[in-house]
């Protein structure tokens, strides 16, 4: 691949002073992760799981509890989020916690509950693998392996996850630059797995009012420079349930391909991340409030392919 800053992109003609020049500068900046960047012959990656395509035309909401707690908690949530429009069920069986005294997850029992929820609802499952030793077991039950923020630079885990052949939902490390994030994605590709979904989940900054700072510009930038699907996790990004819906709308407007949102039948009683978890009614409201944004997103995507629309924007 040409890393000399003169890449010729059909989608961004305009020479060094136009969009093409701007785009090729990003290629210089992210020269360590060339294969995750858009380029000639590198089409948008679409990750297919069961009947869902992530990175395609459809916006993909993923929702569920922070942690799998009980069969009834998980089933009630799975049925509810499916009816409300979620396409993928999330839920942690292995929980990386900042405090060693917090609930660490049900492990294998939680994975079995997730598999049962898939049987009952048809929803695909995304769940976290925390160590390379757990990857074979998690991969047996999950449709997508989540690599958590705290594990983004755990290279033996990334390698084992990549080699499992399952799609990888890669969360941005909480102190990772966009460059670090793309390098981790490149590492997964280098180990033979092209099915990587990038997830912006907020980063640590000097701001302390919120759990993290939602880096919406990262979503917009990643959508411009990478062919990998990009999703947003507004729950961990802000840590407050009343901010989850507005951040979700912002994520759609920034071009995200989907969302990862925490939902629980009784959020105040959730065993982990209660403050940021939505109840069922709040999730329904959030989904309804996203509708016009998703419609605009689809209209914009189709307009981009209309020759007349292209002429209209020059
Ligand atoms: C999670 O999604 O359950 C989680 C622990 O998120 P993060 O790795 O982004 O903190
Ligand atoms: Mn959580």
């Amino acid at each position: 691949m040409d890393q000399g800053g003169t890449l010729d992109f059909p989608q961004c003609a305009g020479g060094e002073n136009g969009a093409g020049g701007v785009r090729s500068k990003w290629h210089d900046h992210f020269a360590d992760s060339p294969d995750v960047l858009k380029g000639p012959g590198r089409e948008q990656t679409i990750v297919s799981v069961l009947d869902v395509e992530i990175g395609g035309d459809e916006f993909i909401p993923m929702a569920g509890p922070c942690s799998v707690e009980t069969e009834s908690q998980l089933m009630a949530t799975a049925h509810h989020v499916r009816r409300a429009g979620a396409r993928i069920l999330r839920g942690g069986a292995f929980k990386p916690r900042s405090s060693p005294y917090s609930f660490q997850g049900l492990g294998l029992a939680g994975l079995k509950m997730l598999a049962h929820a898939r049987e009952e609802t048809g929803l695909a499952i995304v769940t976290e693998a925390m160590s390379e030793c757990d990857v074979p077991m998690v991969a047996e039950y999950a449709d997508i392996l989540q690599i958590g923020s705290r594990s983004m630079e755990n290279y033996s885990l990334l390698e084992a996850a990549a080699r499992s052949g399952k799609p990888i939902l890669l969360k941005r490390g909480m102190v990772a630059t966009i460059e670090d994030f793309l390098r981790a994605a490149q590492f997964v590709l280098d180990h033979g797995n092209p099915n990587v979904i990038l997830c912006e989940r907020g980063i640590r900054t000097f701001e302390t009012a919120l759990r993290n700072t939602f880096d919406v510009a990262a979503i917009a930038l990643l959508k411009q420079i990478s062919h990998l699907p990009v999703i947003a996790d507004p729950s961990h990004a802000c840590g407050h349930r009343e901010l989850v819906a507005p951040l979700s709308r912002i994520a759609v407007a920034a071009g995200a391909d989907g969302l990862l949102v925490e939902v629980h039948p009784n959020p105040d009683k959730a065993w982990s991340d209660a403050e940021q978890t939505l109840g069922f009614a709040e999730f329904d409201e959030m989904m309804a409030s996203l509708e016009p944004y998703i419609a605009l997103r689809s209209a914009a995507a189709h307009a981009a392919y209309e020759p007349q629309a292209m002429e209209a924007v020059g």
Side-chain angles (χ1 to χ4, degrees):
M1 155 172 176
D2 175 3
Q3 291 170 5
T6 54
L7 284 171
D8 178 25
F9 294 110
Q11 74 272 33
C12 52
E16 279 303 304
N17 297 323
V22 172
R23 207 75 57 105
S24 66
K25 286 191 188 89
W26 288 116
H27 276 250
D28 289 347
H29 193 97
F30 298 116
D32 272 355
S33 40
D35 301 318
V36 306
L37 301 180
K38 285 181 183 168
R42 264 187 247 117
E43 305 297 329
Q44 172 66 35
T45 294
I46 296 182
V47 175
S48 297
V49 273
L50 304 188
D51 61 337
V52 183
E53 289 190 336
I54 304 137
D57 287 347
E58 202 186 336
F59 185 79
I60 306 297
M62 310 179 189
C66 176
S67 303
V68 177
E69 300 169 4
T70 63
E71 187 84 21
S72 60
Q73 168 246 19
L74 187 65
M75 289 306 163
T77 310
H79 282 292
H80 188 89
V81 299
R82 185 183 58 76
R83 278 197 300 271
R87 304 298 310 281
I88 294 182
L89 177 66
R90 66 145 288 146
F94 292 90
K95 296 303 303 174
R97 307 306 307 283
S98 296
S99 164
Y101 307 110
S102 302
F103 175 56
Q104 307 289 318
L106 295 180
L108 179 59
L111 294 176
K112 290 185 175 168
M113 289 179 198
L114 286 164
H116 185 212
R118 173 177 49 217
E119 260 168 53
E120 291 273 312
T121 62
L123 289 173
I125 302 298
V126 58
T127 193
E128 178 160 352
M130 274 174 60
S131 102
E132 71 264 34
C133 308
D134 297 334
V135 165
M137 179 171 52
V138 179
E140 199 182 318
Y141 294 92
D143 300 293
I144 302 175
L145 296 186
Q146 180 170 319
I147 302 294
S149 188
R150 292 158 191 78
S151 301
M152 190 204 81
E153 289 179 293
N154 179 342
Y155 293 104
S156 41
L157 171 61
L158 289 179
E159 180 173 348
R163 292 196 191 284
S164 76
K166 292 282 176 177
I168 307 296
L169 191 159
L170 180 64
K171 288 197 153 195
R172 181 177 179 182
M174 61 184 83
V175 292
T177 63
I178 295 171
E179 191 177 8
D180 299 330
F181 190 22
L182 290 178
R183 278 198 194 116
Q186 175 74 39
F187 188 87
V188 176
L189 266 60
D190 284 345
H191 285 86
N193 192 333
N195 292 313
V196 178
I197 303 159
L198 301 171
C199 180
E200 162 58 36
R201 50 76 75 201
I203 50 173
R204 285 258 166 100
T205 67
F206 56 81
E207 177 56 66
T208 54
L210 303 174
R211 181 173 181 178
N212 289 295
T213 296
F214 186 42
D215 188 1
V216 72
I219 298 173
L221 176 61
L222 291 169
K223 282 303 296 175
Q224 286 197 14
I225 63 174
S226 177
H227 54 85
L228 297 174
V230 179
I231 68 162
D233 173 347
S235 308
H236 292 87
C238 65
H240 292 270
R241 73 177 66 121
E242 56 285 8
L243 293 177
V244 170
L247 294 198
S248 299
R249 296 193 289 270
I250 291 165
V252 182
D257 296 296
L259 286 177
L260 188 69
V261 177
E262 290 184 338
V263 181
H264 190 286
N266 188 354
D268 287 331
K269 294 273 185 289
W271 296 1
S272 56
D273 287 349
E275 321 73 45
Q276 68 195 33
T277 297
L278 302 182
F280 291 170
E282 288 154 332
F283 184 65
D284 294 349
E285 273 171 40
M286 184 202 88
M287 291 295 283
S289 82
L290 285 179
E291 273 171 26
Y293 292 78
I294 293 172
L296 265 178
R297 175 189 180 274
S298 313
H302 286 115
Y305 296 109
E306 297 277 348
Q308 279 167 344
M310 290 305 283
E311 279 163 26
V313 293

